Amino acid sequence: MRFRPDLGWSDVTPRADFLNRRQLIGGAAMLGMGGLGLPAAALDAVESKYSTNAEPNTLEEITGYCNFYEFGTDKGDPARHAGQMTTDPWSVEIGGLVEKPGRYDLADVLKGQSLEERIYRLRCVEAWSMVVPWIGFQLSGLLERVGVQPSAKYVAFETLYRPEEMPGTRRPVIPWPYVEGLRLDEAMNPLTILATGLYGEELPAPNGAPIRLVVPWKYGFKSIKSVVKITLTEDQPPATWNMVNPREYGFYSNVNPEVDHPRWSQAEERRVGGGFFAAKIPTQKFNGYGQYVASLYDGMDLSRQF
Ligand SMILES: Nc1nc2c(c(=O)[nH]1)N[C@H]1C(S)=C(S)[C@@H](COP(=O)(O)O)O[C@H]1N2
Ligand SMILES: [Mo]
């Protein structure tokens, strides 16, 4: 399915059908109830303990105000152009220090993973934020399934690079393909998900269809979109913005109001949709997820290892 900015997802996909054909065929265990015949309201009934109570942004805001440089640098470019991206068929190459390397079809990636709704805050390094009701599953589930070798210490991710379908990649704005990385313990943290949906529907193209990483305690650029490759490594993998400007964008890039970007303060953020004159809200350390992740960084000086 291609993203149509003129339609809401509920217009194009019956809600009860949001686990699309190929996901159903893949046999993803939907909230432990099995996929087929899922009542429309079932998803709403399940509260993840990791979800925020904050009001989610609208679908229009989430799909219309995006960073996805493969389609241009304007916030509206992804909504205009990401629909060109072929997202079916889709496969993810999983390799490096794993027991079962291979090219996994999307349905196979989802096999055995339980999808759930996670309503997360998303804090962009540019000092705006949103609240997004993702549908996804824990990355740890996939890594356990493919078997992580003992020597693995990091997980590297890569986005699709297909210039014919990605007008933004025809200029060297940033190095292509977009790459990112996490330390293995960050990747295994229960907050870290691979998202395949949003608002109970398939993931819209501007947000990284058909599968993207979401790491809610880090600046948004760590949450790499449209993932085609996952590699377990011994050494810290390259990360796009860190390569472009290591002084401004650290490998860790945990949300931290105490460490300013060299060119602006990170103490506050503007919630998208509040209007330009809306009061800024204070940025929380680890984007408010410290109770789950602060211990990952015990003994680290987060102002130096940012
Ligand atoms: N491949 C790829 N992934 C990406 C980006 C990008 O340009 N290309 N932008 C990042 C940035 S800066 C942010 S803030 C989030 C935005 O996600 P959203 O548009 O779904 O809100 O995606 C991240 N993932
Ligand atoms: Mo961002």
Side-chain angles (χ1 to χ4, degrees):
M1 179 176 293
R2 277 149 191 270
F3 179 68
R4 295 268 311 272
D6 53 324
L7 294 178
W9 282 86
S10 48
D11 297 320
V12 293
T13 314
R15 186 170 168 76
D17 207 31
F18 79 92
L19 272 181
N20 65 44
R21 279 81 32 208
R22 96 192 140 184
Q23 289 172 341
L24 286 172
I25 292 160
M30 173 57 200
L31 310 167
M33 291 179 278
L36 288 161
L38 178 74
L43 189 66
D44 304 305
V46 177
E47 290 287 326
S48 167
K49 66 169 176 164
Y50 300 114
S51 286
T52 167
N53 301 319
E55 183 70 26
N57 281 86
T58 66
L59 183 66
E60 288 66 31
E61 288 160 354
I62 295 167
T63 57
Y65 190 90
C66 292
N67 280 328
F68 199 170
Y69 277 22
E70 285 84 341
F71 298 98
T73 54
D74 190 271
K75 295 286 184 283
D77 280 337
R80 281 189 283 274
H81 303 301
Q84 300 173 44
M85 175 172 54
T86 305
T87 57
D88 188 3
W90 191 272
S91 62
V92 182
E93 193 185 326
I94 306 181
L97 302 169
V98 295
E99 306 297 345
K100 294 177 223 157
R103 182 177 289 279
Y104 291 73
D105 189 68
L106 183 62
D108 199 11
V109 171
L110 289 165
K111 200 175 281 173
Q113 309 300 333
S114 6
L115 295 178
E116 57 176 275
E117 180 166 71
R118 294 279 180 103
I119 307 173
Y120 281 163
R121 291 176 293 275
L122 179 131
R123 170 58 156 83
C124 176
V125 75
E126 298 163 337
W128 54 265
S129 65
M130 289 203 271
V131 175
V132 185
W134 304 108
I135 307 291
F137 61 94
Q138 292 183 188
L139 175 61
S140 62
L142 178 63
L143 294 180
E144 278 158 17
R145 183 171 154 228
V146 298
V148 176
Q149 293 182 9
S151 53
K153 294 192 182 69
Y154 293 89
V155 188
F157 304 86
E158 193 174 304
T159 293
L160 176 73
Y161 173 57
R162 193 182 286 150
E164 337 63 281
E165 295 181 355
M166 296 176 148
T169 65
R170 295 173 207 153
R171 291 184 302 137
V173 191
I174 51 176
W176 313 108
Y178 194 102
V179 291
E180 258 305 337
L182 296 173
R183 217 170 56 190
L184 184 58
D185 57 348
E186 299 178 317
M188 295 299 285
N189 187 277
L191 284 179
T192 304
I193 60 168
L194 286 170
T196 56
L198 201 165
Y199 263 119
E201 312 282 352
E202 256 183 88
L203 192 61
N207 301 95
I211 185 165
R212 62 91 60 88
L213 184 71
V214 180
V215 194
W217 72 94
K218 293 178 178 285
Y219 290 119
F221 64 82
K222 297 292 293 183
S223 293
I224 181 173
K225 296 179 173 182
S226 303
V227 171
V228 291
K229 197 169 176 185
I230 299 177
T231 312
L232 278 286
T233 65
E234 187 153 6
D235 299 321
Q236 183 177 299
T240 293
W241 284 103
N242 178 242
M243 281 191 285
V244 168
N245 193 336
R247 216 173 58 83
E248 299 190 349
Y249 310 104
F251 174 79
Y252 287 95
S253 283
N254 296 315
V255 174
N256 192 344
E258 296 152 24
V259 177
D260 286 339
H261 187 280
R263 290 181 280 133
W264 60 83
S265 166
Q266 294 292 26
E268 294 181 313
E269 63 201 56
R270 177 181 64 86
R271 184 61 53 82
V272 170
F276 190 77
F277 296 103
K280 292 201 173 163
I281 53 179
T283 288
Q284 304 176 71
K285 196 162 186 176
F286 298 114
N287 203 20
Y289 298 101
Q291 61 167 306
Y292 303 114
V293 299
S295 65
L296 295 171
Y297 309 102
D298 280 349
M300 279 174 65
D301 177 351
L302 296 178
S303 62
R304 294 171 136 271
Q305 280 182 289
F306 63 95

